[in-house]
Amino acid sequence: MTDTVIFDLDGTLLDTLTDLMDSVNFALGRFGYPERTLDEIRRFVGNGVRVLMQRSVPNGVDGDAFEKVFAVFREHYLSNMRNKTDAYGGVRELLKVLKENGYKIGVVSNKLDEAVKELCADYFGPLVDFAKGAEGESDRKPNPSNTWKCIDSLGSKRENCIYVGDSEVDIKTAANAGLPCVSVTWGFRTRDELSANGASELIDSPRELLGILGIK
């Protein structure tokens, strides 16, 4: 019986795309590089902010030059990540219903760990029981290590957990962790993209998750 729901953050619980774009373009502009569009940022996200910036800088920018751009992005984003970010419609209500029905709620993201913890605290408070972001390349999804840490921290069992995310990375993470995956269509990937990457269960609104869990 499912008693634990583990969510991705960006594109699943929070719409963070515009703040990410603004910080990417702030960093690119600092060094005279061309800016990126919102659609480009949408395609680049999912594998953590280092990969986001690696995809955003011009070809050939690497080594020390890349690290300087990344440092500017990181500093700017951590100070501006709440400017335009908000929860998707129905998400807070979903989390409240889950908590009222005794579910444990975790968040596992490829976002910077400190950003994940701060954003979950700011936007969801006690509704989220565990929040973990990536601290480096070694624990970045689709590596399931942080998902397993979440399960252990919550005192749950893998057979009683589901994973909810918006990208192909989340589908792979759930598979690697041995969890069923529910893919959301309101995030950073389209229904067709999710289906092409093996999504087996898709939902178009947060409330649909309640039906999957058998909550009326």
Side-chain angles (χ1 to χ4, degrees), residues 16-57:
T16 58
L17 202 61
T18 305
D19 279 335
L20 286 168
M21 180 188 71
D22 288 348
S23 290
V24 167
N25 286 335
F26 178 87
L28 294 175
R30 173 71 66 84
F31 295 91
Y33 300 139
E35 292 189 352
R36 294 294 189 169
T37 67
L38 196 65
D39 283 341
E40 287 176 315
I41 299 300
R42 186 188 306 276
R43 293 198 305 271
F44 294 166
V45 296
N47 289 278
V49 289
R50 285 190 69 85
V51 175
L52 167 62
M53 287 307 302
Q54 287 166 354
R55 292 169 173 171
S56 297
V57 297

mmCIF file of all heavy atoms in Angstrom, residues 16-57:
data_model
loop_
_atom_site.group_PDB
_atom_site.id
_atom_site.type_symbol
_atom_site.label_atom_id
_atom_site.label_comp_id
_atom_site.label_asym_id
_atom_site.label_seq_id
_atom_site.Cartn_x
_atom_site.Cartn_y
_atom_site.Cartn_z
ATOM 1 N N THR A 16 9.697 27.195 -12.013
ATOM 2 C CA THR A 16 10.921 27.951 -11.750
ATOM 3 C C THR A 16 11.584 28.472 -13.020
ATOM 4 O O THR A 16 12.655 29.076 -12.960
ATOM 5 C CB THR A 16 11.936 27.054 -11.015
ATOM 6 O OG1 THR A 16 12.191 25.895 -11.836
ATOM 7 C CG2 THR A 16 11.396 26.591 -9.671
ATOM 8 N N LEU A 17 10.974 28.237 -14.165
ATOM 9 C CA LEU A 17 11.664 28.410 -15.436
ATOM 10 C C LEU A 17 12.118 29.845 -15.686
ATOM 11 O O LEU A 17 13.247 30.073 -16.134
ATOM 12 C CB LEU A 17 10.749 27.940 -16.573
ATOM 13 C CG LEU A 17 11.454 27.569 -17.880
ATOM 14 C CD1 LEU A 17 12.417 26.416 -17.674
ATOM 15 C CD2 LEU A 17 10.421 27.203 -18.945
ATOM 16 N N THR A 18 11.262 30.827 -15.397
ATOM 17 C CA THR A 18 11.628 32.209 -15.713
ATOM 18 C C THR A 18 12.762 32.702 -14.835
ATOM 19 O O THR A 18 13.674 33.402 -15.307
ATOM 20 C CB THR A 18 10.407 33.129 -15.587
ATOM 21 O OG1 THR A 18 9.351 32.624 -16.420
ATOM 22 C CG2 THR A 18 10.753 34.535 -16.028
ATOM 23 N N ASP A 19 12.744 32.346 -13.552
ATOM 24 C CA ASP A 19 13.865 32.733 -12.683
ATOM 25 C C ASP A 19 15.165 32.084 -13.139
ATOM 26 O O ASP A 19 16.235 32.710 -13.084
ATOM 27 C CB ASP A 19 13.573 32.358 -11.228
ATOM 28 C CG ASP A 19 12.683 33.387 -10.536
ATOM 29 O OD1 ASP A 19 12.681 34.558 -10.964
ATOM 30 O OD2 ASP A 19 11.992 33.024 -9.571
ATOM 31 N N LEU A 20 15.093 30.833 -13.570
ATOM 32 C CA LEU A 20 16.294 30.173 -14.093
ATOM 33 C C LEU A 20 16.792 30.891 -15.339
ATOM 34 O O LEU A 20 17.991 31.158 -15.482
ATOM 35 C CB LEU A 20 16.003 28.702 -14.409
ATOM 36 C CG LEU A 20 15.870 27.778 -13.207
ATOM 37 C CD1 LEU A 20 15.287 26.430 -13.631
ATOM 38 C CD2 LEU A 20 17.227 27.556 -12.530
ATOM 39 N N MET A 21 15.888 31.233 -16.250
ATOM 40 C CA MET A 21 16.287 31.941 -17.461
ATOM 41 C C MET A 21 16.928 33.288 -17.124
ATOM 42 O O MET A 21 17.961 33.660 -17.707
ATOM 43 C CB MET A 21 15.074 32.162 -18.368
ATOM 44 C CG MET A 21 15.419 32.906 -19.662
ATOM 45 S SD MET A 21 13.975 33.391 -20.635
ATOM 46 C CE MET A 21 13.302 34.700 -19.589
ATOM 47 N N ASP A 22 16.325 34.014 -16.201
ATOM 48 C CA ASP A 22 16.867 35.328 -15.850
ATOM 49 C C ASP A 22 18.291 35.215 -15.298
ATOM 50 O O ASP A 22 19.161 36.044 -15.619
ATOM 51 C CB ASP A 22 15.967 36.012 -14.826
ATOM 52 C CG ASP A 22 14.648 36.480 -15.427
ATOM 53 O OD1 ASP A 22 14.516 36.480 -16.669
ATOM 54 O OD2 ASP A 22 13.739 36.831 -14.645
ATOM 55 N N SER A 23 18.537 34.204 -14.474
ATOM 56 C CA SER A 23 19.880 34.050 -13.899
ATOM 57 C C SER A 23 20.877 33.549 -14.934
ATOM 58 O O SER A 23 22.041 33.965 -14.937
ATOM 59 C CB SER A 23 19.827 33.102 -12.695
ATOM 60 O OG SER A 23 19.145 33.715 -11.617
ATOM 61 N N VAL A 24 20.429 32.643 -15.809
ATOM 62 C CA VAL A 24 21.296 32.204 -16.906
ATOM 63 C C VAL A 24 21.694 33.398 -17.758
ATOM 64 O O VAL A 24 22.881 33.610 -18.064
ATOM 65 C CB VAL A 24 20.586 31.149 -17.783
ATOM 66 C CG1 VAL A 24 21.336 30.931 -19.094
ATOM 67 C CG2 VAL A 24 20.471 29.818 -17.040
ATOM 68 N N ASN A 25 20.734 34.221 -18.144
ATOM 69 C CA ASN A 25 21.027 35.349 -19.026
ATOM 70 C C ASN A 25 21.815 36.446 -18.324
ATOM 71 O O ASN A 25 22.611 37.152 -18.965
ATOM 72 C CB ASN A 25 19.732 35.899 -19.617
ATOM 73 C CG ASN A 25 19.171 34.976 -20.690
ATOM 74 O OD1 ASN A 25 19.908 34.206 -21.309
ATOM 75 N ND2 ASN A 25 17.873 35.043 -20.921
ATOM 76 N N PHE A 26 21.635 36.593 -17.013
ATOM 77 C CA PHE A 26 22.473 37.532 -16.257
ATOM 78 C C PHE A 26 23.933 37.112 -16.351
ATOM 79 O O PHE A 26 24.812 37.940 -16.602
ATOM 80 C CB PHE A 26 22.029 37.580 -14.804
ATOM 81 C CG PHE A 26 22.852 38.487 -13.943
ATOM 82 C CD1 PHE A 26 22.554 39.834 -13.840
ATOM 83 C CD2 PHE A 26 23.957 38.000 -13.231
ATOM 84 C CE1 PHE A 26 23.315 40.679 -13.055
ATOM 85 C CE2 PHE A 26 24.727 38.843 -12.450
ATOM 86 C CZ PHE A 26 24.413 40.185 -12.359
ATOM 87 N N ALA A 27 24.183 35.814 -16.150
ATOM 88 C CA ALA A 27 25.558 35.309 -16.202
ATOM 89 C C ALA A 27 26.125 35.389 -17.607
ATOM 90 O O ALA A 27 27.284 35.800 -17.802
ATOM 91 C CB ALA A 27 25.604 33.873 -15.680
ATOM 92 N N LEU A 28 25.327 35.016 -18.608
ATOM 93 C CA LEU A 28 25.809 35.091 -19.992
ATOM 94 C C LEU A 28 26.120 36.539 -20.371
ATOM 95 O O LEU A 28 27.146 36.820 -21.000
ATOM 96 C CB LEU A 28 24.758 34.505 -20.933
ATOM 97 C CG LEU A 28 24.482 33.004 -20.812
ATOM 98 C CD1 LEU A 28 23.324 32.600 -21.728
ATOM 99 C CD2 LEU A 28 25.721 32.173 -21.143
ATOM 100 N N GLY A 29 25.238 37.450 -19.976
ATOM 101 C CA GLY A 29 25.446 38.857 -20.302
ATOM 102 C C GLY A 29 26.675 39.443 -19.650
ATOM 103 O O GLY A 29 27.336 40.317 -20.226
ATOM 104 N N ARG A 30 26.993 38.977 -18.447
ATOM 105 C CA ARG A 30 28.176 39.473 -17.750
ATOM 106 C C ARG A 30 29.447 39.241 -18.577
ATOM 107 O O ARG A 30 30.390 40.039 -18.520
ATOM 108 C CB ARG A 30 28.287 38.756 -16.400
ATOM 109 C CG ARG A 30 29.564 39.029 -15.617
ATOM 110 C CD ARG A 30 29.630 40.427 -15.045
ATOM 111 N NE ARG A 30 28.607 40.645 -14.021
ATOM 112 C CZ ARG A 30 28.749 40.304 -12.730
ATOM 113 N NH1 ARG A 30 29.866 39.726 -12.314
ATOM 114 N NH2 ARG A 30 27.793 40.551 -11.863
ATOM 115 N N PHE A 31 29.448 38.156 -19.343
ATOM 116 C CA PHE A 31 30.645 37.816 -20.128
ATOM 117 C C PHE A 31 30.465 38.067 -21.627
ATOM 118 O O PHE A 31 31.291 37.646 -22.429
ATOM 119 C CB PHE A 31 31.015 36.356 -19.874
ATOM 120 C CG PHE A 31 31.433 36.097 -18.449
ATOM 121 C CD1 PHE A 31 30.494 35.721 -17.498
ATOM 122 C CD2 PHE A 31 32.744 36.276 -18.048
ATOM 123 C CE1 PHE A 31 30.862 35.505 -16.173
ATOM 124 C CE2 PHE A 31 33.123 36.066 -16.728
ATOM 125 C CZ PHE A 31 32.174 35.686 -15.786
ATOM 126 N N GLY A 32 29.382 38.744 -21.993
ATOM 127 C CA GLY A 32 29.181 39.112 -23.387
ATOM 128 C C GLY A 32 28.692 37.989 -24.273
ATOM 129 O O GLY A 32 28.806 38.080 -25.505
ATOM 130 N N TYR A 33 28.129 36.950 -23.689
ATOM 131 C CA TYR A 33 27.620 35.823 -24.472
ATOM 132 C C TYR A 33 26.154 36.056 -24.838
ATOM 133 O O TYR A 33 25.425 36.738 -24.111
ATOM 134 C CB TYR A 33 27.742 34.515 -23.694
ATOM 135 C CG TYR A 33 29.159 34.144 -23.296
ATOM 136 C CD1 TYR A 33 29.429 33.608 -22.039
ATOM 137 C CD2 TYR A 33 30.222 34.313 -24.178
ATOM 138 C CE1 TYR A 33 30.712 33.252 -21.664
ATOM 139 C CE2 TYR A 33 31.524 33.961 -23.824
ATOM 140 C CZ TYR A 33 31.760 33.440 -22.556
ATOM 141 O OH TYR A 33 33.044 33.092 -22.197
ATOM 142 N N PRO A 34 25.685 35.457 -25.941
ATOM 143 C CA PRO A 34 24.280 35.628 -26.343
ATOM 144 C C PRO A 34 23.321 35.047 -25.302
ATOM 145 O O PRO A 34 23.601 34.021 -24.680
ATOM 146 C CB PRO A 34 24.190 34.846 -27.660
ATOM 147 C CG PRO A 34 25.602 34.705 -28.136
ATOM 148 C CD PRO A 34 26.456 34.655 -26.914
ATOM 149 N N GLU A 35 22.180 35.710 -25.137
ATOM 150 C CA GLU A 35 21.179 35.226 -24.198
ATOM 151 C C GLU A 35 20.417 34.035 -24.773
ATOM 152 O O GLU A 35 20.440 33.780 -25.983
ATOM 153 C CB GLU A 35 20.196 36.358 -23.850
ATOM 154 C CG GLU A 35 20.829 37.476 -23.048
ATOM 155 C CD GLU A 35 19.802 38.471 -22.542
ATOM 156 O OE1 GLU A 35 18.607 38.373 -22.956
ATOM 157 O OE2 GLU A 35 20.179 39.337 -21.734
ATOM 158 N N ARG A 36 19.726 33.314 -23.877
ATOM 159 C CA ARG A 36 18.921 32.155 -24.251
ATOM 160 C C ARG A 36 17.440 32.463 -24.063
ATOM 161 O O ARG A 36 17.056 33.231 -23.183
ATOM 162 C CB ARG A 36 19.298 30.945 -23.396
ATOM 163 C CG ARG A 36 20.716 30.441 -23.645
ATOM 164 C CD ARG A 36 20.878 29.881 -25.041
ATOM 165 N NE ARG A 36 22.162 29.214 -25.227
ATOM 166 C CZ ARG A 36 22.458 28.464 -26.294
ATOM 167 N NH1 ARG A 36 21.566 28.343 -27.281
ATOM 168 N NH2 ARG A 36 23.635 27.890 -26.393
ATOM 169 N N THR A 37 16.605 31.841 -24.894
ATOM 170 C CA THR A 37 15.169 32.034 -24.806
ATOM 171 C C THR A 37 14.571 31.100 -23.759
ATOM 172 O O THR A 37 15.206 30.144 -23.319
ATOM 173 C CB THR A 37 14.489 31.738 -26.150
ATOM 174 O OG1 THR A 37 14.619 30.336 -26.442
ATOM 175 C CG2 THR A 37 15.118 32.560 -27.269
ATOM 176 N N LEU A 38 13.317 31.376 -23.410
ATOM 177 C CA LEU A 38 12.627 30.526 -22.445
ATOM 178 C C LEU A 38 12.484 29.098 -22.968
ATOM 179 O O LEU A 38 12.650 28.134 -22.203
ATOM 180 C CB LEU A 38 11.249 31.116 -22.126
ATOM 181 C CG LEU A 38 10.562 30.569 -20.869
ATOM 182 C CD1 LEU A 38 11.343 30.937 -19.611
ATOM 183 C CD2 LEU A 38 9.136 31.108 -20.768
ATOM 184 N N ASP A 39 12.205 28.952 -24.246
ATOM 185 C CA ASP A 39 12.080 27.604 -24.810
ATOM 186 C C ASP A 39 13.409 26.861 -24.764
ATOM 187 O O ASP A 39 13.437 25.643 -24.539
ATOM 188 C CB ASP A 39 11.573 27.667 -26.254
ATOM 189 C CG ASP A 39 10.075 27.932 -26.330
ATOM 190 O OD1 ASP A 39 9.381 27.712 -25.312
ATOM 191 O OD2 ASP A 39 9.597 28.360 -27.398
ATOM 192 N N GLU A 40 14.518 27.561 -24.992
ATOM 193 C CA GLU A 40 15.821 26.919 -24.890
ATOM 194 C C GLU A 40 16.090 26.465 -23.457
ATOM 195 O O GLU A 40 16.537 25.332 -23.228
ATOM 196 C CB GLU A 40 16.921 27.872 -25.358
ATOM 197 C CG GLU A 40 16.951 28.074 -26.855
ATOM 198 C CD GLU A 40 17.997 29.091 -27.276
ATOM 199 O OE1 GLU A 40 18.096 30.161 -26.633
ATOM 200 O OE2 GLU A 40 18.710 28.824 -28.261
ATOM 201 N N ILE A 41 15.804 27.318 -22.492
ATOM 202 C CA ILE A 41 15.996 26.952 -21.089
ATOM 203 C C ILE A 41 15.133 25.748 -20.745
ATOM 204 O O ILE A 41 15.571 24.824 -20.045
ATOM 205 C CB ILE A 41 15.678 28.135 -20.163
ATOM 206 C CG1 ILE A 41 16.598 29.326 -20.455
ATOM 207 C CG2 ILE A 41 15.806 27.716 -18.695
ATOM 208 C CD1 ILE A 41 18.073 29.028 -20.268
ATOM 209 N N ARG A 42 13.907 25.715 -21.227
ATOM 210 C CA ARG A 42 13.014 24.590 -20.980
ATOM 211 C C ARG A 42 13.645 23.274 -21.464
ATOM 212 O O ARG A 42 13.559 22.249 -20.800
ATOM 213 C CB ARG A 42 11.677 24.816 -21.689
ATOM 214 C CG ARG A 42 10.615 23.760 -21.373
ATOM 215 C CD ARG A 42 9.396 23.960 -22.260
ATOM 216 N NE ARG A 42 8.873 25.315 -22.189
ATOM 217 C CZ ARG A 42 8.032 25.733 -21.248
ATOM 218 N NH1 ARG A 42 7.618 24.899 -20.313
ATOM 219 N NH2 ARG A 42 7.595 26.978 -21.239
ATOM 220 N N ARG A 43 14.287 23.328 -22.626
ATOM 221 C CA ARG A 43 14.919 22.118 -23.159
ATOM 222 C C ARG A 43 16.187 21.750 -22.397
ATOM 223 O O ARG A 43 16.557 20.576 -22.321
ATOM 224 C CB ARG A 43 15.269 22.316 -24.639
ATOM 225 C CG ARG A 43 14.059 22.451 -25.548
ATOM 226 C CD ARG A 43 14.428 22.209 -27.000
ATOM 227 N NE ARG A 43 15.514 23.078 -27.459
ATOM 228 C CZ ARG A 43 15.325 24.283 -27.997
ATOM 229 N NH1 ARG A 43 14.098 24.770 -28.121
ATOM 230 N NH2 ARG A 43 16.356 25.003 -28.413
ATOM 231 N N PHE A 44 16.864 22.756 -21.826
ATOM 232 C CA PHE A 44 18.159 22.530 -21.183
ATOM 233 C C PHE A 44 18.044 22.009 -19.749
ATOM 234 O O PHE A 44 18.999 21.448 -19.219
ATOM 235 C CB PHE A 44 18.972 23.828 -21.156
ATOM 236 C CG PHE A 44 19.387 24.341 -22.514
ATOM 237 C CD1 PHE A 44 19.876 25.639 -22.648
ATOM 238 C CD2 PHE A 44 19.287 23.556 -23.647
ATOM 239 C CE1 PHE A 44 20.264 26.131 -23.884
ATOM 240 C CE2 PHE A 44 19.669 24.037 -24.896
ATOM 241 C CZ PHE A 44 20.156 25.333 -25.011
ATOM 242 N N VAL A 45 16.908 22.238 -19.084
ATOM 243 C CA VAL A 45 16.798 21.884 -17.668
ATOM 244 C C VAL A 45 16.518 20.390 -17.494
ATOM 245 O O VAL A 45 16.127 19.698 -18.429
ATOM 246 C CB VAL A 45 15.695 22.701 -16.955
ATOM 247 C CG1 VAL A 45 16.031 24.167 -16.947
ATOM 248 C CG2 VAL A 45 14.331 22.442 -17.603
ATOM 249 N N GLY A 46 16.736 19.922 -16.260
ATOM 250 C CA GLY A 46 16.403 18.545 -15.913
ATOM 251 C C GLY A 46 17.563 17.753 -15.361
ATOM 252 O O GLY A 46 17.368 16.783 -14.634
ATOM 253 N N ASN A 47 18.771 18.170 -15.725
ATOM 254 C CA ASN A 47 19.956 17.428 -15.303
ATOM 255 C C ASN A 47 20.834 18.208 -14.329
ATOM 256 O O ASN A 47 22.009 17.886 -14.157
ATOM 257 C CB ASN A 47 20.783 17.020 -16.526
ATOM 258 C CG ASN A 47 20.108 15.934 -17.337
ATOM 259 O OD1 ASN A 47 20.195 14.757 -17.023
ATOM 260 N ND2 ASN A 47 19.396 16.337 -18.385
ATOM 261 N N GLY A 48 20.265 19.218 -13.696
ATOM 262 C CA GLY A 48 21.041 20.017 -12.743
ATOM 263 C C GLY A 48 21.535 21.306 -13.368
ATOM 264 O O GLY A 48 21.591 21.456 -14.594
ATOM 265 N N VAL A 49 21.933 22.256 -12.510
ATOM 266 C CA VAL A 49 22.278 23.587 -13.009
ATOM 267 C C VAL A 49 23.622 23.637 -13.724
ATOM 268 O O VAL A 49 23.817 24.482 -14.601
ATOM 269 C CB VAL A 49 22.225 24.636 -11.878
ATOM 270 C CG1 VAL A 49 20.792 24.900 -11.456
ATOM 271 C CG2 VAL A 49 23.084 24.243 -10.696
ATOM 272 N N ARG A 50 24.545 22.762 -13.386
ATOM 273 C CA ARG A 50 25.809 22.759 -14.128
ATOM 274 C C ARG A 50 25.552 22.369 -15.582
ATOM 275 O O ARG A 50 26.091 22.985 -16.517
ATOM 276 C CB ARG A 50 26.826 21.812 -13.493
ATOM 277 C CG ARG A 50 27.454 22.332 -12.222
ATOM 278 C CD ARG A 50 28.621 21.451 -11.783
ATOM 279 N NE ARG A 50 29.751 21.545 -12.686
ATOM 280 C CZ ARG A 50 30.694 22.483 -12.620
ATOM 281 N NH1 ARG A 50 30.648 23.404 -11.672
ATOM 282 N NH2 ARG A 50 31.692 22.486 -13.470
ATOM 283 N N VAL A 51 24.723 21.346 -15.777
ATOM 284 C CA VAL A 51 24.398 20.935 -17.147
ATOM 285 C C VAL A 51 23.604 22.031 -17.849
ATOM 286 O O VAL A 51 23.810 22.302 -19.028
ATOM 287 C CB VAL A 51 23.618 19.605 -17.143
ATOM 288 C CG1 VAL A 51 23.169 19.238 -18.559
ATOM 289 C CG2 VAL A 51 24.485 18.491 -16.564
ATOM 290 N N LEU A 52 22.696 22.680 -17.115
ATOM 291 C CA LEU A 52 21.952 23.809 -17.682
ATOM 292 C C LEU A 52 22.906 24.865 -18.214
ATOM 293 O O LEU A 52 22.753 25.349 -19.347
ATOM 294 C CB LEU A 52 21.037 24.412 -16.617
ATOM 295 C CG LEU A 52 20.418 25.777 -16.920
ATOM 296 C CD1 LEU A 52 19.522 25.704 -18.150
ATOM 297 C CD2 LEU A 52 19.638 26.293 -15.716
ATOM 298 N N MET A 53 23.913 25.223 -17.420
ATOM 299 C CA MET A 53 24.855 26.249 -17.868
ATOM 300 C C MET A 53 25.778 25.745 -18.964
ATOM 301 O O MET A 53 26.145 26.496 -19.874
ATOM 302 C CB MET A 53 25.667 26.776 -16.681
ATOM 303 C CG MET A 53 24.886 27.670 -15.734
ATOM 304 S SD MET A 53 24.037 29.046 -16.566
ATOM 305 C CE MET A 53 25.400 29.891 -17.378
ATOM 306 N N GLN A 54 26.167 24.473 -18.909
ATOM 307 C CA GLN A 54 26.995 23.911 -19.971
ATOM 308 C C GLN A 54 26.272 23.964 -21.308
ATOM 309 O O GLN A 54 26.895 24.179 -22.355
ATOM 310 C CB GLN A 54 27.376 22.470 -19.622
ATOM 311 C CG GLN A 54 28.416 22.367 -18.517
ATOM 312 C CD GLN A 54 28.542 20.974 -17.936
ATOM 313 O OE1 GLN A 54 27.776 20.071 -18.267
ATOM 314 N NE2 GLN A 54 29.499 20.793 -17.046
ATOM 315 N N ARG A 55 24.967 23.769 -21.278
ATOM 316 C CA ARG A 55 24.179 23.830 -22.506
ATOM 317 C C ARG A 55 23.916 25.267 -22.939
ATOM 318 O O ARG A 55 23.646 25.521 -24.122
ATOM 319 C CB ARG A 55 22.848 23.094 -22.309
ATOM 320 C CG ARG A 55 23.018 21.588 -22.145
ATOM 321 C CD ARG A 55 21.735 20.916 -21.685
ATOM 322 N NE ARG A 55 21.866 19.461 -21.678
ATOM 323 C CZ ARG A 55 20.972 18.628 -21.157
ATOM 324 N NH1 ARG A 55 19.871 19.108 -20.590
ATOM 325 N NH2 ARG A 55 21.179 17.316 -21.194
ATOM 326 N N SER A 56 23.982 26.198 -21.995
ATOM 327 C CA SER A 56 23.633 27.589 -22.283
ATOM 328 C C SER A 56 24.799 28.408 -22.814
ATOM 329 O O SER A 56 24.595 29.338 -23.609
ATOM 330 C CB SER A 56 23.084 28.259 -21.016
ATOM 331 O OG SER A 56 21.894 27.642 -20.584
ATOM 332 N N VAL A 57 26.030 28.105 -22.374
ATOM 333 C CA VAL A 57 27.181 28.876 -22.847
ATOM 334 C C VAL A 57 27.485 28.499 -24.297
ATOM 335 O O VAL A 57 27.118 27.421 -24.761
ATOM 336 C CB VAL A 57 28.430 28.635 -21.964
ATOM 337 C CG1 VAL A 57 28.189 29.100 -20.541
ATOM 338 C CG2 VAL A 57 28.860 27.162 -22.002
#
